[in-house]
Amino acid sequence: MQRHLISAADLTRDDAVQILDTAEEMARVADRPIKKLPTLRGRTVVNLFFEDSTRTRISFEAAEKRLSADVINFSAKGSSVSKGESLKDTAQTLEAMGVDAVVIRHGASGAPYRLATSGWIDAVVINAGDGTHQHPTQALLDAFTMRRRLVGRDAGIGQDLGGKRVTLVGDILHSRVARSNVDLLHTLGAEVTLVAPPTLLPVGVESWPCEISYDLDATLPKSDAVMLLRVQRERMNAAFFPTEREYTRRYGLDGDRMARMPEHAIVMHPGPMVRGMEITAEVADSDRCTAVEQVANGVSIRMAVLYLLLGGMDPAVTHTRTEEK
Ligand code: NCD
């Protein structure tokens, strides 16, 4: 495994399966009355968030605290600092404080890569979402959720997602979640189909390792998992579709459409959901929707990533004698 986690494309199949398996170990800690491991005691992790976040920020913080790391939260909300120089200044401040890992979310694609390769800091860099580029821990928690639901919690250990059919629907153009998922799912052997209005597909998407469709209804019966993506208005500077109603009619998932999916198939969403736009409340609140499960799984995945990148050789979970019996 590489020293930093910048892109899902940097993970080999074995790296990814190791992270998923370690996350299963970490998930067991969440079932204990005391949800804490001493693994990162004495290590300092900074959460450097230049962009809004609910789930990702809270989940990284929970993961760091469960591993007993010292946590510093830096939120640059409202700051007008520009990319290159300010990032360098911030990085040098962190370096002076002796930080071991930096979890960074930034509006500029490439900011985590710059931080990891610039020589400004010595810390491990974990990308928590950069612009429209990558969000590798989201793809990992999505893969973890799919493996648990479609292969099985115990049966999944050591397994990838070979042959599973995953459909991503919505604003692919602006979505780092889509890019990371396409990369990781391909590495794990899944077959990915993107469904979106042509205006919300990036130039060059034909060269991605996936299929493209404009017909959601035809794709649903052939899907084991359907992941809906939010229309990212904050990244749009033009009209990409006529009206919201038109978008919802063609690309939104409602109860009738969900009924076209195979019985075992799941509905996924990375959040934040816009109910009534890409997903109806009926679907979002149904048993088949894994949105809340994905959030819980995110903590286990982030614990696994932090442990593998920072924790060294100590066993992840020390079992008590009673557990061993
Ligand atoms: C996504 C993000 O920020 O990239 N959310 C997340 O991390 N769970 C997707 C989005 O903002 O729509």
Side-chain angles (χ1 to χ4, degrees), residues 86-146:
S86 67
L87 192 59
K88 182 176 178 179
D89 286 342
T90 314
Q92 285 175 339
T93 308
L94 301 178
E95 181 67 6
M97 293 191 304
V99 158
D100 297 295
V102 179
V103 174
I104 176 172
R105 168 167 286 199
H106 203 289
S109 300
Y113 177 78
R114 185 98 172 95
L115 197 61
T117 57
S118 59
W120 300 330
I121 52 165
D122 207 24
V124 165
V125 177
I126 300 172
N127 182 2
D130 62 328
T132 58
H133 176 225
Q134 280 279 328
H135 192 355
T137 57
Q138 178 70 42
L140 284 161
L141 75 87
D142 292 336
F144 183 79
T145 306
M146 289 180 221

Side-chain angles (χ1 to χ4, degrees), residues 219-231:
T219 314
L220 291 174
K222 296 178 282 184
S223 307
D224 299 305
V226 176
M227 187 186 302
L228 303 158
L229 299 167
R230 183 176 65 87
V231 172

Side-chain angles (χ1 to χ4, degrees), residues 55-56 105 135 138 176-177 230 232 234 270-272:
R55 275 152 287 269
T56 307
R105 168 167 286 199
H135 192 355
Q138 178 70 42
R176 52 198 176 204
V177 177
R230 183 176 65 87
Q232 305 211 355
E234 73 277 21

Side-chain angles (χ1 to χ4, degrees), residues 7 42 60 67 77 80 82 84 86 88 127 189 215 225 317:
S7 168
F60 264 109
L67 292 175
K77 176 97 181 126
S80 62
S82 63
S86 67
K88 182 176 178 179
N127 182 2
D215 186 350
V317 179

Side-chain angles (χ1 to χ4, degrees), residues 289-323:
C289 179
T290 61
V292 178
E293 213 171 297
Q294 286 168 261
V295 177
N297 291 340
V299 179
S300 305
I301 280 291
R302 284 158 184 141
M303 286 173 79
V305 167
L306 286 159
Y307 164 73
L308 291 168
L309 295 184
L310 277 180
M313 294 297 131
D314 300 337
V317 179
T318 37
H319 295 280
T320 60
R321 279 173 194 281
T322 35
E323 274 178 314

